[in-house]
Amino acid sequence: MITPEIIKAADILRAGGLVALPTETVYGLGADARNEAAVRRIFAAKERPFNHPLIVHLAEASQLTEWASDIPPAAWQLAQAFWPGPLTLILKKQPHVLDIVTGGQETVGLRVPAHPVAHAVLSAFGSGVAAPSANRFTHISPTSAAAVREELGDKVDWILDGGDCAIGLESTIVDLSGPVPVILRPGMITSQAIHDVIHAPVAAHQGVSEARAPGMHHLHYAPLTKTRVLAAEKIPAYLQSLPITEFPLALLTHTSGHASARKDVLHVQMPDHPGAYAHELYRTLRTLDHQGLKNIIVQAVPDTMEWEAIRDRLAKASQRS
Ligand code: TXA
Ligand code: MG
């Protein structure tokens, strides 16, 4: 799928520019991963601290050897099972990989995205594209081209519009650089699905040091509006207890029967299926951020594996409060 837009995007990357590109998870802000000045521009545009490493995006799994060394069999198994797709592998880096990309670490994050536009750009460009989510630091990741424009405006040279992101949450990150695979960031590929492919224990992300994976514990992925997650049965009493100055607020529920009769409560019915919920979540929070609300209250989602990435992002969304 080579269109004039794809050729232009690849040309901008070659010239050291920034291109926002759609992936199946969220939009990324891409630069030539081998060009230090270009990668620095990503940090400037996002106002992101330099020690936060970036994921390098590739067109094909076969390019892994150009970026990673000592690649364990589990990496090839996971690549075979889930690429192209919403999975990032952390592997020992090749010596040439820039410190600005890895945050000075000995590892590099690699992903082959599934979105046809991302794939076309990566193929046309022919090398790795460093791309964090295309939002300003600590903001919610953009899941549409309009959201990228809202976040970055003219700080990006070219925005490729690939429509709404199908998944809507960032990739699952698995660190394979140590003795035990560790999930650094849950995503819609669950730890169970990873275990089923590699047949080895997979450690959860709790307890991962901030130095290994900056961005895991900081205030991240948060709407600007104060957000709080509450079990369904606690919501009525909580609304009762809030002073009038805490309204209007939005109430997000995914099961029925929780609508409030109050005019100053905006009720948002979310899907009760995790895939559909993930798809809606960032778009919903972004829209609500524009509505002059005092609070966003979110009904806690189920405690099961399929909801793990959503639970993680809701926990992060409520950290600004
Ligand atoms: O779905 C995604 O992964 C999206 C799309 C654009 O691909 N990208 C994305 O990138 O979410 P970003 O930069 O917003 O989040 C990447 C996370 C960061 O928290 C970073 O700390 C972690 O990946 N990361 C990247 N390289 C790493 C490394 N070498 N070691 C540990 N963590 C790493
Ligand atoms: Mg991000």
Side-chain angles (χ1 to χ4, degrees):
M1 194 187 68
I2 295 290
T3 62
E5 281 80 16
I6 299 292
I7 292 168
K8 176 168 173 178
D11 285 346
I12 291 172
L13 290 170
R14 272 185 214 104
L18 298 184
V19 175
L21 67 162
T23 84
E24 72 280 24
T25 58
V26 300
Y27 275 71
L29 178 62
D32 178 355
R34 293 179 188 259
N35 179 335
E36 173 158 2
V39 176
R40 281 187 180 275
R41 290 189 60 208
I42 292 178
F43 289 87
K46 283 184 60 100
E47 298 164 37
R48 167 158 157 152
F50 280 113
N51 66 341
H52 284 222
L54 304 178
I55 297 169
V56 176
H57 295 69
L58 305 171
E60 313 289 340
S62 60
Q63 290 168 283
L64 257 190
T65 51
E66 293 168 28
W67 296 86
S69 61
D70 302 334
I71 302 170
W76 293 114
Q77 288 165 351
L78 290 173
Q80 169 83 32
F82 298 117
W83 281 355
L87 179 73
T88 296
L89 301 178
I90 306 294
L91 296 165
K92 295 210 176 83
K93 74 180 190 78
Q94 283 287 349
H96 75 82
V97 184
L98 298 170
D99 279 346
I100 188 81
V101 170
T102 66
Q105 305 186 76
E106 286 307 306
T107 57
V108 60
L110 296 159
R111 176 162 110 81
V112 176
H115 196 292
V117 173
H119 184 262
V121 173
L122 291 165
S123 298
F125 179 61
S127 179
V129 171
S133 51
N135 51 280
R136 274 173 288 156
F137 185 56
T138 80
H139 286 197
I140 298 171
S141 298
T143 56
S144 68
V148 175
R149 226 165 270 124
E150 177 183 313
E151 286 289 323
L152 299 173
D154 57 9
K155 292 179 181 163
V156 44
D157 298 309
W158 183 246
I159 300 175
L160 281 166
D161 190 342
D164 270 0
C165 300
I167 293 176
L169 289 187
E170 304 84 355
S171 61
T172 305
I173 303 181
V174 192
D175 186 352
L176 295 175
S177 68
V180 179
V182 182
I183 309 277
L184 299 185
R185 180 175 69 188
M188 296 311 279
I189 294 176
T190 63
S191 42
Q192 182 66 48
I194 289 167
H195 178 268
D196 289 347
V197 169
I198 62 176
H199 304 295
V202 181
H205 65 300
Q206 280 90 2
V208 172
S209 76
E210 174 68 17
R212 286 292 291 284
M216 295 306 134
H217 300 283
H218 268 160
L219 177 58
H220 259 219
Y221 312 94
L224 300 172
T225 312
K226 225 178 350 159
T227 300
R228 193 179 183 112
V229 180
L230 286 173
E233 65 274 15
K234 299 217 166 121
I235 292 172
Y238 184 75
L239 292 182
Q240 284 281 320
S241 73
L242 275 183
I244 194 72
T245 49
E246 296 295 319
F247 293 83
L249 57 74
L251 175 61
L252 271 64
T253 64
H254 62 275
T255 57
S256 53
H258 308 293
S260 164
R262 297 181 62 143
K263 291 229 161 26
D264 48 7
V265 173
L266 170 64
H267 182 232
V268 180
Q269 187 65 50
M270 296 292 285
D272 69 357
H273 180 275
Y277 192 109
H279 178 73
E280 298 289 306
L281 180 61
Y282 284 164
R283 188 162 59 93
T284 302
L285 293 177
R286 187 172 285 280
T287 305
L288 293 175
D289 255 346
H290 291 298
Q291 304 199 350
L293 301 165
K294 294 288 171 46
N295 289 280
I296 300 172
I297 312 286
V298 186
Q299 177 192 358
V301 298
D303 211 13
T304 55
M305 177 80 69
E306 302 72 53
W307 291 86
E308 128 190 281
I310 295 163
R311 278 199 308 280
D312 172 78
R313 301 313 188 278
L314 288 177
K316 285 170 175 155
S318 45
Q319 278 172 29
R320 215 184 276 280
S321 320

